[in-house]
Amino acid sequence: MDLIIQGCDCLGYIKYFDAHFTNYTGGVETIENCVCLHEEDHGILWKHKDRRTIGLAEVRQSRKLSVSFICTVASYEYGFFWHFYQEFLGTVLLKLLVVFCLHGPQIKDAMEYAECEAAVRNYPPLIEAMRKRGVEDMDLVMVDAWCVGYYSDADGPSRRLAKSLIFCRIESDCPMEKRLCTSYPLRNYTAGETRGGIDRSDVNPLHILQPEGPSFRVNGYFVQWQKWNFRIGFTPRKGLVIHSVAYIDGSRGRRPSAHRLSSVEMVVPYGDPNEPHYRKNAFDAGEDGLGKKCTFSQKG
């Protein structure tokens, strides 16, 4: 078995998988620790009292296996969690957290996004407009490029368009902070930097111990747990992909359950007729690539 790393995203023993895929230049790109595999407690499997045991009850705990990855797309963080249970059940859970983020989605790739941002920042009318609003440092000006969708022939496939939304980044030590942002200064997601510098202290530490190690076995990207077995995959568009899922079903032997499991698309319909929201056309998987936006974890 590969080395099991205890730490970061989840409690207990964690197995991380790296992703390898071809980037836009034709080379091989690797994202380390992008898929997380771990076990979780799933409450009581069954609890039974037999009259012959003089009122004593026997209980068996249930457990589930979780395969997950998290990606950050613009101001959204998506967590995809595939769960396998002991009772021949499988579910997928999508956790969505909307957070403030300094950088917006890409048009096609990182190079094009940088080119778009530079072109807008260097546009003389924009520079003059920002000066009128007291912004002299254009490095604080953020350009959030959004795909515009299709509303008329002017948005036809012969043209590649993006609508640039402009906002200003305020740094915690910036002299403009008192003028533009007095109630909520920018904070990083690090200890002592959130909620005005106050960390959460209303819960005590929770430790999950597995002294005999995990119940799953890993051979490369092939996973075996309880009566389940499957393969871990990853693509730059969809992110986590699970292949060849099967269940060992008693005398029936290996019972195929799913050939391929993945999230095909993530669509965010804004439904606001006001400018500029009605022009937002966010297909996060197809246009941005959930896999390329993976929020990888550091070991240890």
Side-chain angles (χ1 to χ4, degrees):
M1 181 187 296
D2 293 344
L3 178 64
I4 302 298
I5 303 299
Q6 186 174 7
C8 301
D9 300 338
C10 307
L11 299 176
Y13 280 89
I14 303 172
K15 166 63 182 176
Y16 286 111
F17 294 88
D18 298 340
H20 310 278
F21 53 84
T22 304
N23 59 26
Y24 63 92
T25 64
V28 177
E29 185 172 341
T30 298
I31 302 178
E32 296 183 351
N33 313 330
C34 61
V35 175
C36 174
L37 174 71
H38 72 283
E39 295 173 288
E40 295 181 7
D41 178 72
H42 190 52
I44 297 176
L45 180 62
W46 56 264
K47 187 174 184 179
H48 178 72
K49 182 177 69 173
D50 193 291
R51 62 180 177 84
R52 298 180 182 86
T53 59
I54 318 177
L56 297 178
E58 290 191 10
V59 63
R60 294 294 184 270
Q61 295 297 120
S62 183
R63 192 179 300 182
K64 65 182 178 181
L65 185 71
S66 177
V67 189
S68 63
F69 92 103
I70 298 175
C71 59
T72 302
V73 182
S75 56
Y76 298 92
E77 290 181 352
Y78 300 114
F80 295 85
F81 298 80
W82 292 91
H83 296 310
F84 296 89
Y85 302 90
Q86 293 178 248
E87 303 85 13
F88 191 57
L89 293 174
T91 63
V92 60
L93 172 64
L94 170 61
K95 297 181 179 179
L96 170 62
L97 174 64
V98 180
V99 298
F100 179 73
C101 185
L102 294 180
H103 294 280
Q106 299 174 338
I107 304 170
K108 182 62 176 178
D109 55 50
M111 292 182 63
E112 286 186 319
Y113 179 83
E115 291 173 358
C116 176
E117 186 172 27
V120 174
R121 276 183 178 177
N122 295 324
Y123 188 51
L126 175 64
I127 297 175
E128 181 61 26
M130 297 306 296
R131 285 176 178 171
K132 291 180 179 179
R133 291 161 174 81
V135 180
E136 298 286 343
D137 186 0
M138 291 301 292
D139 287 337
L140 296 178
V141 177
M142 298 291 101
V143 180
D144 196 355
W146 282 79
C147 296
V148 298
Y150 185 89
Y151 293 91
S152 67
D153 291 340
D155 302 327
S158 62
R159 306 175 65 195
R160 301 186 61 219
L161 302 176
K163 185 175 183 63
S164 297
L165 305 183
I166 310 298
F167 60 95
C168 188
R169 181 184 66 190
I170 306 301
E171 298 177 342
S172 58
D173 57 352
C174 176
M176 297 174 56
E177 182 174 318
K178 294 182 179 180
R179 295 173 53 189
L180 298 177
C181 189
T182 59
S183 61
Y184 189 78
L186 176 65
R187 297 291 180 179
N188 293 320
Y189 291 98
T190 53
E193 294 288 333
T194 58
R195 291 175 292 277
I198 301 175
D199 289 330
R200 171 165 288 177
S201 59
D202 53 356
V203 291
N204 294 325
L206 175 65
H207 299 282
I208 305 299
L209 302 178
Q210 294 179 271
E212 298 182 13
S215 301
F216 55 77
R217 291 178 294 169
V218 178
N219 183 8
Y221 286 79
F222 181 68
V223 178
Q224 294 174 285
W225 176 81
Q226 208 258 332
K227 297 181 180 182
W228 291 100
N229 56 76
F230 53 87
R231 295 186 179 275
I232 299 293
F234 200 88
T235 72
R237 173 178 174 175
K238 300 179 181 180
L240 173 63
V241 180
I242 299 179
H243 300 272
S244 304
V245 181
Y247 187 85
I248 307 302
D249 190 8
S251 60
R252 298 179 59 180
R254 188 177 187 273
R255 178 179 173 185
S257 176
H259 176 67
R260 179 186 175 98
L261 300 174
S262 68
S263 176
V264 177
E265 186 57 270
M266 172 57 63
V267 182
V268 182
Y270 282 82
D272 190 333
N274 298 314
E275 178 72 28
H277 301 293
Y278 82 96
R279 293 287 279 175
K280 291 180 177 178
N281 182 56
F283 287 88
D284 292 332
E287 293 174 337
D288 290 309
L290 299 176
K292 292 190 296 183
K293 299 298 183 67
C294 176
T295 308
F296 64 93
S297 301
Q298 296 182 354
K299 294 182 180 180

